[in-house]
Amino acid sequence: MHLPRPRGPISEAVVEVVRGGRAEIPSVTDIRSEDAQIALWTVYELAYRGFGDASPDAERDLELLRWRHHAEDLLEAELRDLTRAAVDEARAAAATVEGRLRALVDAGPSTPLARHLQRRATREQVLAYLVERSVYHLKESDPQAFVLGRVDGPAKVALGELLYDEYGGGRPERLHSHLYAEALEACGLDATYGAYIDQVEAPTLLSNNVMSLFAMQRRLRGASLGHLAAFEATSTDPCRRIAVGIERVGLPDAAAAYFHEHVEADAVHEQVVMGDICGAAVAAEPAIEDDLLLGAATCLIIDAEASQALYDAITAPAPELAGAGR
Amino acid sequence: MSSGAPDAGRAGGREAGRDPVRVRVCPDGPLLLRGADEVMDADGRAHPVTRPVVAVCVCGGTARAPWCDGTHALLNKRRAANNS
């Protein structure tokens, strides 16, 4: 993958420094702007697959680390503000961490996206959805894998079990990111990692960046597990609807297969992550419960925002994403 | 597993050297099975277990029997709405 297209002065400077050049990266005034989000995504990506045109040591560049620290502090503060009311309500609604996670999920925001894809979306709108979600699904579970080394005992065992399933259960052809690549290819889309990064919108970048924010710092391990819990607990219903939608518009079986697999897998993972991972993690380290709820509420709110934004974009009279399937 | 006589280690259906099948009951949800090889559905058809843990539907609402497909959450929500 090559470095993404800068979307403003911040990402321009970040890309320049990642390339090995020198630049002072401007401070962030709006952490939700696409400029700040693509810049943060770029800095995080250095810890995943990286870029062919990046300097080999960019991951440890002090200017990038300084800027990331500043951007992460702003983002974390924003997320704590955004989730405070939902977390307080969940805390009052139940006494156990599993009960509190369930309360968060039950009260979480919903969007018309999955129902639209199921019942009314055109083929082009379904393709636009597949493109937008490729940013995450081509590195599915990679953020959460960073957390495995930071927990211990039963929580580690259960997280390892969940990741083993996500990573194909010993069968490369069942690797979930590979299933997604097959789905994209079957639909005539580009399955190359990062292929669509230059066209995805800020809310999608944000929904990816919060996973990396929680995954990259040991301090936030609870938030990463909580995010995973909410993600898995809100997956089966949309996946079932999207599989129906894909079949309805006549896209190939390989595309629907990815979502069928996730109905079954995520029905399992929801139970594993709620009871076996989060319950055990909080039993071992009660102090991380607050961050666990922060992570879960973040997932619910930020992913709903991304879903709503995508719904608005694909159903707008002059859809900006209509060319996604070219 | 040992290469001894196949039945030598059997006790209560459990083979020597092999972990027992573990079942966890999820509140208002499915049964989580670890270590099972196959699950027999109501029609007597055997479904092989292909992942490290499987969730078996107990609410009867699944469209992917015998596996859970998350439908219990919708049924629970509907039931709660009817009771309130």
Side-chain angles (χ1 to χ4, degrees), chain A residues 250-262:
Chain A
L251 286 167
D253 289 346
Y258 171 88
F259 293 93
H260 283 306
E261 158 66 10
H262 279 73

Side-chain angles (χ1 to χ4, degrees), chain B residues 18-37:
Chain B
R18 184 173 168 167
D19 279 346
V21 173
R22 294 184 188 190
V23 182
R24 183 162 78 76
V25 180
C26 303
D28 299 319
L31 295 177
L32 272 195
L33 263 63
R34 292 182 166 90
D37 293 321

Side-chain angles (χ1 to χ4, degrees), chain A residues 4-16:
Chain A
R5 161 181 70 86
R7 303 195 195 187
I10 298 172
S11 46
E12 202 161 311
V14 162
V15 165
E16 178 58 26

Side-chain angles (χ1 to χ4, degrees), chain A residues 97-293:
Chain A
V97 64
E98 185 170 354
R100 288 169 175 170
L101 288 170
R102 294 269 173 212
L104 273 175
V105 169
D106 289 346
S110 62
T111 79
L113 181 64
R115 267 194 176 79
H116 177 75
L117 293 170
Q118 176 187 12
R119 294 179 184 161
R120 286 182 303 278
T122 63
R123 189 184 165 97
E124 282 62 39
Q125 289 174 337
V126 174
L127 291 174
Y129 171 84
L130 294 176
V131 161
E132 195 82 9
R133 292 298 159 97
S134 68
V135 175
Y136 175 64
H137 290 311
L138 290 177
K139 65 165 145 191
E140 195 163 318
S141 300
D142 291 345
Q144 294 78 26
F146 280 107
V147 184
L148 194 56
R150 300 176 183 149
V151 292
D152 207 350
K156 184 197 280 292
V157 173
L159 179 57
E161 183 181 65
L162 184 152
L163 291 171
Y164 183 66
D165 200 26
E166 291 280 353
Y167 289 149
R171 295 160 298 169
E173 70 278 11
R174 300 297 297 167
L175 180 64
H176 281 181
S177 55
H178 174 76
L179 293 180
Y180 200 79
E182 284 187 332
L184 292 174
E185 269 168 18
C187 293
L189 296 167
D190 191 343
T192 313
Y193 185 90
Y196 294 107
I197 193 62
D198 286 341
Q199 69 185 67
V200 300
E201 309 270 343
T204 292
L205 294 170
L206 176 60
S207 111
N208 278 269
N209 283 337
V210 298
M211 279 189 263
S212 296
L213 167 71
F214 296 154
M216 298 285 173
Q217 294 182 55
R218 175 189 171 277
R219 179 176 67 85
L220 294 172
R221 62 198 176 284
S224 191
L225 297 178
H227 187 287
L228 177 64
F231 190 96
E232 298 286 3
T234 51
S235 171
T236 52
D237 183 55
C239 282
R240 190 174 41 225
R241 293 179 190 282
I242 292 160
V244 171
I246 286 172
E247 286 163 356
R248 180 180 55 76
V249 299
L251 286 167
D253 289 346
Y258 171 88
F259 293 93
H260 283 306
E261 158 66 10
H262 279 73
V263 172
E264 205 175 293
D266 293 350
V268 178
H269 296 169
E270 173 182 350
Q271 305 301 334
V272 171
V273 71
M274 290 274 188
D276 298 323
I277 298 177
C278 291
V282 170
E285 292 185 279
I288 66 171
E289 182 176 346
D290 280 346
D291 280 355
L292 221 122
L293 299 176

Side-chain angles (χ1 to χ4, degrees), chain B residues 18-79:
Chain B
R18 184 173 168 167
D19 279 346
V21 173
R22 294 184 188 190
V23 182
R24 183 162 78 76
V25 180
C26 303
D28 299 319
L31 295 177
L32 272 195
L33 263 63
R34 292 182 166 90
D37 293 321
E38 58 182 35
V39 171
M40 201 82 82
D41 69 19
D43 300 326
R45 274 181 53 217
H47 296 259
V49 168
T50 59
R51 52 180 82 247
V53 205
V54 288
V56 175
C57 172
V58 293
C59 77
T62 185
R64 305 176 65 89
W67 313 124
C68 169
D69 71 350
T71 299
H72 60 268
L74 303 176
L75 298 179
N76 292 342
K77 214 172 272 181
R78 212 168 291 163
R79 202 172 48 197

